[in-house]
Amino acid sequence: MKITNKWDETFEVNVGDWVGFKSDIEQSGKVKQIQSRGALIVENEHGFDGDYIGGDTEVLIGFDHVWQEADFLGS
C-alpha cells in the first residue's frame, strides 16, 4: 500500500517491512498490520524504548508519523 507521511514522502509499505517513527526517541519496528483508517500496527519483539511505549512490543502509529527504513539485519 502506498502511504504519504507528514514530510510529503510517499512510499510503498507492506506487512513485514521495517518503518521508523519517533516516540520519545527514534525507533524502528516491523509492520504487522496495515489498517484502512490510516494507521499501522508495528512490532518489535525486543520491545520499544522510552517513557511512553517503553517495554511494549506493539504500537499503533498513523501513516503520517512513519518513514521508510532499510531492512534490519537478521529480520
Side-chain angles (χ1 to χ4, degrees):
M1 168 178 243
K2 277 198 184 225
I3 66 171
T4 302
N5 62 22
K6 66 181 179 182
W7 303 282
D8 290 326
E9 300 168 333
T10 299
F11 57 94
E12 186 77 23
V13 66
N14 297 294
V15 171
D17 290 349
W18 284 84
V19 294
F21 64 97
K22 186 170 182 179
S23 180
D24 292 330
I25 60 170
E26 289 187 2
Q27 308 191 54
S28 296
K30 189 184 282 190
V31 176
K32 181 177 181 179
Q33 185 180 74
I34 301 170
Q35 299 192 339
S36 59
R37 61 184 172 148
L40 304 171
I41 295 179
V42 176
E43 66 181 348
N44 185 317
E45 65 185 29
H46 303 291
F48 296 106
D49 294 320
D51 292 334
Y52 186 63
I53 62 171
D56 291 349
T57 57
E58 291 184 0
V59 64
L60 180 69
I61 308 168
F63 290 170
D64 54 339
H65 295 287
V66 299
W67 56 83
Q68 193 171 26
E69 283 277 23
D71 286 338
F72 256 31
L73 295 175
S75 63

